[in-house]
Amino acid sequence: MRSKTYFHLDMDAFFVSVEELFDPSLKGKPVIVGGRANERGVVSAASYPARKFGVHSAMPLRTAYKLCPQALFVDGHPERYREYSHKVYAVLQSFSPLVEMASIDEAYLDMTGTERLYGAPLRAAHLLHQRIRTETLLNCSIGIATSRLVAKITSDQAKPNGVLWVIPGQEASFLAPLDVRKVPGIGKVTEKQLHSLGIRKVGDLANLDEAFLAQRFGKWGLAMAGKSRGLDAGGWFDTDIGENSAPKSISHEHTFGEDTADLSKLEATLARLSEMVGRRLREHNLHARTIQLKLRYSDFSTITRAHSLGRATQLDTEVFDEARQLFRRNWNAGAAVRLLGVHVSGFSANTGQMDLLAEEHHRRWEQALAAADKMREKFGESAVSLAASMRGKFRERTHENPVGLPGKRPK
DNA sequence: TCTGGGGTCCTAGGACCC
DNA sequence: TCTGGGGTCCTAGGACCC
């Protein structure tokens, strides 16, 4: 069987690079995207000059400030990143039909059998690299290999702004000297466990007996054995490119600027989060059966509590009612809360059966909420807010008017 | 170090059913 | 009633990714 050819394309310092397009004065400076230096939060992205000081993504902003006080701290702009992600995707699609965005700033391409069109893999990759640069004004790095896994590791080795090809047959020797942490799926915890066994390099992993790994790590051990040899063994890597699946869950969460035990503030936040979740459900035309609350206290201890409905919903009010019930039943009352989250899953295309009356009731609410969604699109987030209307109106809620929306129905 | 927000996948126990 | 085995659903938590 002929081997496959995969590209993994990864944008360089994506969020920072996009911000630099909007504000060229940032170029060449230590830039940190994610928020103000003294805010609660973490670094979303750091420019290469900032990385020289030890700043990296996921690091607390306050820590980043200590390491690099002269850095320019800027807020993130998700709409800008989505816009540029779409631009990247458009270039990729014009290049190959087998494309899959793996996240906002990276993609896989199945380039098997495209030699007649583009020539050898390295030549094709350089062509793509140039086209991305021309069309988006952004730098990227491209890894080429016979598996998605190795292509991903390769693009990381190619950074910044590089192209790298692992010749078929050379996968294991390419991987062998790399730290186990370079393998996607091996994080902090697994790395530590492997280190305690004296396994530090991918080559050490490849030399181990599979049975030992299976016994020690179960299914995941077998997958690691395959990965250490460069195979798309098990899990997400083992799927075909192109079938971009529908979302499996939708969630929104909020960390308070300061922890709070104020019930009305907490429930207003739950209402706002439920609203955001409901809107996304309707955008994707999905109905969810399982509603989950996430609750994090000051000491960072975190619980999740879920409940599955008899019938799936896409209504803010039903999501909110469930989330609030879960909250009231599980909140250690008086304890200050750091974070609240609302998460829905168990999607189905329709809601299952309903009697005619309930059907009509729901249809009206769905119409009203869809109209509200449109108004938000037109006039912005603050135009219509369940959360705002909730604040003074908790006690006035009735069955017919379950969220205290104004009486006038949008046309 | 004082720890965001949006996801995916996996494990494990208990309920419930055959 | 000292008792099996498999399948599926539900729930809680955790590792990991960008």
Side-chain angles (χ1 to χ4, degrees):
Chain A
M1 197 187 78
R2 274 198 65 218
S3 66
K4 309 272 285 179
T5 305
Y6 291 106
F7 284 12
H8 180 257
L9 180 143
D10 202 305
M11 304 304 293
D12 293 344
F14 183 55
F15 294 176
V16 172
S17 306
V18 172
E19 294 303 331
E20 287 174 354
L21 290 180
F22 284 82
D23 179 3
S25 77
L26 297 173
K27 274 188 186 166
K29 296 184 183 147
V31 177
I32 291 169
V33 178
R36 301 270 86 84
N38 59 352
E39 275 175 352
R40 263 188 177 172
V42 299
V43 176
S44 287
S47 69
Y48 283 94
R51 291 182 200 185
K52 289 207 183 111
F53 294 85
V55 177
H56 56 81
S57 48
M59 171 182 279
L61 291 168
R62 296 184 223 253
T63 309
Y65 179 72
K66 281 176 198 154
L67 290 174
C68 188
Q70 71 273 41
L72 301 163
F73 287 80
V74 305
D75 286 327
H77 296 91
E79 341 77 52
R80 294 179 180 175
Y81 312 143
R82 273 195 292 275
E83 179 194 338
Y84 274 82
S85 185
H86 289 318
K87 288 189 187 191
V88 169
Y89 185 58
V91 176
L92 298 179
Q93 270 198 314
S94 74
F95 206 75
S96 163
L98 293 177
V99 184
E100 182 175 320
M101 293 300 291
S103 72
I104 197 157
D105 73 336
E106 59 175 321
Y108 291 91
L109 290 85
D110 185 342
M111 296 293 289
T112 310
T114 63
E115 288 83 359
R116 288 234 315 261
L117 201 55
Y118 294 115
L122 260 182
R123 189 178 168 275
H126 277 115
L127 195 62
L128 176 59
H129 190 261
Q130 187 52 50
R131 234 185 247 185
I132 292 281
R133 174 73 220 180
T134 309
E135 302 284 323
T136 68
L137 305 175
L138 296 170
N139 289 339
C140 67
S141 297
I142 302 176
I144 312 162
T146 56
S147 67
R148 305 173 74 173
L149 175 85
V150 177
K152 174 152 173 77
I153 297 171
T154 303
S155 71
D156 186 50
Q157 296 299 109
K159 282 187 175 299
N161 204 23
V163 173
L164 191 60
W165 179 35
V166 174
I167 298 168
Q170 297 301 303
E171 294 82 5
S173 52
F174 164 74
L175 294 175
L178 303 179
D179 287 334
V180 287
R181 188 60 200 273
K182 291 280 181 186
V183 176
I186 298 184
K188 231 178 174 168
V189 174
T190 310
E191 181 190 37
K192 207 176 163 199
Q193 291 172 322
L194 290 172
H195 280 181
S196 76
L197 295 168
I199 303 160
R200 309 192 80 86
K201 303 293 180 188
V202 182
D204 302 335
L205 202 50
N207 285 332
L208 282 179
D209 187 19
E210 279 196 14
F212 169 76
L213 281 171
Q215 177 248 317
R216 179 93 196 200
F217 293 96
K219 205 168 146 184
W220 172 232
L222 280 179
M224 278 196 291
K227 288 174 195 294
S228 70
R229 295 168 176 81
L231 304 173
D232 288 332
W236 181 85
F237 281 100
D238 229 343
T239 58
D240 276 338
I241 281 179
E243 298 312 308
N244 216 348
S245 49
K248 296 189 169 61
S249 68
I250 290 174
S251 66
H252 285 281
E253 57 186 61
H254 176 71
T255 296
F256 295 99
E258 278 176 13
D259 302 347
T260 180
D262 178 341
L263 180 65
S264 62
K265 200 171 167 186
L266 291 164
E267 294 201 339
T269 300
L270 276 185
R272 183 170 58 83
L273 294 169
S274 301
E275 223 177 50
M276 293 163 73
V277 165
R279 178 144 67 113
R280 299 265 310 283
L281 282 170
R282 294 187 293 280
E283 261 170 31
H284 292 273
N285 195 24
L286 292 169
H287 297 254
R289 273 199 62 216
T290 305
I291 318 292
Q292 186 185 266
L293 169 80
K294 182 167 165 183
L295 181 49
R296 174 172 290 156
Y297 293 104
S298 298
D299 65 358
F300 221 72
S301 62
T302 308
I303 63 162
T304 60
R305 292 293 179 268
H307 183 238
S308 290
L309 306 166
R311 169 175 48 74
T313 184
Q314 61 173 183
L315 299 180
D316 301 1
T317 56
E318 294 191 340
V319 173
F320 175 58
D321 281 347
E322 274 309 316
R324 190 179 49 179
Q325 261 192 63
L326 289 165
F327 176 71
R328 289 186 174 175
R329 278 207 284 263
N330 292 285
W331 179 41
N332 183 3
V337 174
R338 180 188 176 92
L339 169 148
L340 283 177
V342 175
H343 177 281
V344 297
S345 57
F347 295 147
S348 56
N350 57 38
T351 64
Q353 58 235 40
M354 260 191 279
D355 65 61
L356 282 177
L357 216 71
E359 186 97 56
E360 175 63 11
H361 179 74
H362 271 259
R363 204 180 52 75
R364 287 221 188 114
W365 269 102
E366 289 183 4
Q367 276 178 355
L369 288 165
D373 291 345
K374 275 205 182 127
M375 284 189 58
R376 285 199 194 88
E377 261 169 48
K378 235 176 161 173
F379 303 113
E381 202 54 49
S382 57
V384 182
S385 175
L386 190 81
S389 67
M390 295 265 336
R391 258 162 230 139
K393 295 211 171 183
F394 263 124
R395 308 247 145 64
E396 297 168 31
R397 292 169 64 250
T398 63
H399 182 65
E400 281 68 36
N401 187 15
V403 288
L405 276 181
K408 232 193 328 190
R409 266 230 307 282
K411 173 112 187 17

